[in-house]
Amino acid sequence: MQYALVIYEDEALYGEENTPAWREIFAQHEAFAGELAQKGVLRGGAGLKPTATATTVRRVAGQCSLHDGPYAESKEQLGGFYVIEAPDLDAALAWARKLPMQGDGSVEVRPIIDGTT
């Protein structure tokens, strides 16, 4: 079964790109992704640019409108995700517990729909 590990954190903790704090957590994520790959469970993933670069398409009553920024403003932002292969939810949760984070935040673990069924 494939699972998405969806990362939510306060992006202000990272500062600007290429600062020491940013480079440190980036290195931690490279190591984490390397471990996932070494164990043969990594299927994909990506980090995301800051929320200031986001554009949201909102559909209401069949009409679309564009909005700068993320859909929901909150203390934590969607920062990136990993797609992993795990035999069950417990194994996926074990990987989520190891995921590096700069501060407080959360990792949503969600099964991916298998399009073959």
Side-chain angles (χ1 to χ4, degrees), residues 41-113:
V41 300
L42 183 63
R43 297 295 178 263
L48 300 174
K49 293 281 189 178
T51 56
T53 66
T55 303
T56 298
V57 177
R58 182 177 287 172
R59 183 183 307 251
V60 176
Q63 298 297 312
C64 292
S65 59
L66 299 178
H67 304 272
D68 290 338
Y71 176 73
E73 292 187 27
S74 66
K75 183 178 178 185
E76 297 175 342
Q77 293 80 31
L78 174 60
F81 63 94
Y82 290 91
V83 176
I84 64 167
E85 185 79 32
D88 54 37
L89 178 59
D90 289 336
L93 291 172
W95 283 111
R97 287 184 187 98
K98 294 178 75 172
L99 200 147
M101 300 184 85
Q102 190 75 350
D104 293 339
S106 59
V107 179
E108 179 181 342
V109 178
R110 191 183 299 192
I112 293 177
I113 295 171

Side-chain angles (χ1 to χ4, degrees), residues 32-44:
F32 180 71
E35 183 180 1
L36 291 171
Q38 180 185 29
K39 299 291 185 181
V41 300
L42 183 63
R43 297 295 178 263

